[in-house]
Amino acid sequence: DTAVSQTPKYLVTQMGNDKSIKCEQNLGHDTMYWYKQDSKKFLKIMFSYNNKELIINETVPNRFSPKSPDKAHLNLHINSLELGDSAVYFCASSPGILGSYNEQFFGPGTRLTVL
Amino acid sequence: AQTVTQSQPEMSVQEAETVTLSCTYDTSESDYYLFWYKQPPSRQMILVIRQEAYKQQNATENRFSVNFQKAAKSFSLKISDSQLGDAAMYFCAYRRITQGGSEKLVFGKGTKLTVNP
């Protein structure tokens, strides 16, 4: 049974388009994240939500807008896609800082290619 | 700011041999968590092992163990009896608690491990 799922797994689109990536976790965690992995495999946090509230926003362009309709879902919408947005985007979840089990569980990633 | 450094972009090991991947980090905190994640070609991020800084005992998980040197801020991963399935990117990560009470992982740049048959 999948713990953290993302859709789609692959996304190919043209520059200037708007696209969304969806993430769902069934672990009952309070905190969810978006990470970006660039072409050199470097992973960096973009956003974090705790119980639907944005708590981390790491100097990401305004074209990126996360939305958390409930604590089990965290979606990422990207406007006006640029070539530099091509990357793998990972969703993750964790119990948060109050949780005794401190692992972050990652989704399978979404490979976004902007042409 | 916390940084994580993995000085070996690539490593290779013969099947059944032992390999050690290096990681150093910079922090002014006294209590924190460190992790090693594995990313095989499937790109799924898989937790390999974790270490709590307040525990002096090095963590072990089957063939995986760490050498945690808190004073030196070093956190190396040892893989014993290497198997072909161990071939992957390995990321060292530091769990940082922000001032606002949230947490995030700060990753090193990764080490690509090749296992030769």
Side-chain angles (χ1 to χ4, degrees):
Chain A
D1 204 13
T2 306
V4 183
S5 60
Q6 291 179 232
T7 53
K9 289 189 179 174
Y10 297 93
L11 188 51
V12 181
T13 188
Q14 300 286 331
M15 271 175 54
N17 284 350
D18 304 338
K19 289 294 178 185
S20 292
I21 306 171
K22 295 185 176 182
C23 177
E24 177 181 1
Q25 55 97 0
N26 62 7
L27 297 166
H29 289 163
D30 285 339
T31 308
M32 296 184 72
Y33 313 81
W34 279 110
Y35 287 86
K36 178 180 179 180
Q37 186 174 40
D38 64 22
S39 59
K40 295 183 179 178
K41 302 285 190 182
F42 184 57
L43 269 157
K44 192 172 189 296
I45 191 166
M46 300 173 68
F47 301 103
S48 173
Y49 270 73
N50 186 61
N51 208 3
K52 303 191 295 177
E53 181 182 345
L54 178 67
I55 53 174
I56 292 178
N57 182 342
E58 289 278 315
T59 59
V60 177
N62 290 338
R63 299 182 296 103
F64 290 79
S65 53
K67 282 187 173 56
S68 181
D70 55 62
K71 73 174 192 177
H73 296 84
L74 180 60
N75 303 323
L76 183 64
H77 188 76
I78 316 171
N79 289 325
S80 304
L81 278 155
E82 301 177 356
L83 293 176
D85 297 332
S86 295
V88 179
Y89 293 85
F90 285 96
C91 178
S93 75
S94 78
I97 63 171
L98 297 179
S100 58
Y101 195 69
N102 295 289
E103 176 186 353
Q104 289 191 15
F105 293 79
F106 284 79
T110 296
R111 180 177 292 280
L112 171 65
T113 303
V114 182
L115 303 174
Chain B
Q2 286 83 4
T3 57
V4 177
T5 302
Q6 292 179 249
S7 59
Q8 306 150 315
E10 295 187 25
M11 291 282 284
S12 64
V13 63
Q14 290 296 124
E15 199 175 0
E17 299 286 304
T18 295
V19 64
T20 298
L21 308 184
S22 300
C23 174
T24 58
Y25 58 94
D26 183 29
T27 184
S28 57
E29 298 174 340
S30 59
D31 193 19
Y32 46 88
Y33 288 81
L34 295 161
F35 302 87
W36 278 98
Y37 277 88
K38 169 185 176 181
Q39 187 179 39
S42 67
R43 79 167 181 252
Q44 178 70 53
M45 294 289 288
I46 302 164
L47 179 68
V48 175
I49 199 165
R50 65 177 180 166
Q51 176 78 42
E52 296 150 81
Y54 66 87
K55 290 187 176 179
Q56 292 187 340
Q57 189 174 5
N58 288 325
T60 61
E61 287 286 343
N62 301 314
R63 297 182 296 107
F64 297 87
S65 61
V66 298
N67 183 3
F68 174 50
Q69 301 288 329
K70 191 173 183 180
K73 296 179 183 175
S74 170
F75 182 59
S76 60
L77 175 69
K78 186 170 86 170
I79 307 174
S80 304
D81 185 26
S82 296
Q83 300 176 0
L84 294 178
D86 295 334
M89 284 289 289
Y90 286 82
F91 293 95
C92 179
Y94 173 101
R95 177 179 176 257
R96 182 188 168 208
I97 306 296
T98 69
Q99 283 187 335
S102 58
E103 63 165 293
K104 65 179 183 181
L105 292 178
V106 178
F107 286 91
K109 292 189 175 181
T111 297
K112 182 178 179 182
L113 178 66
T114 301
V115 180
N116 300 311

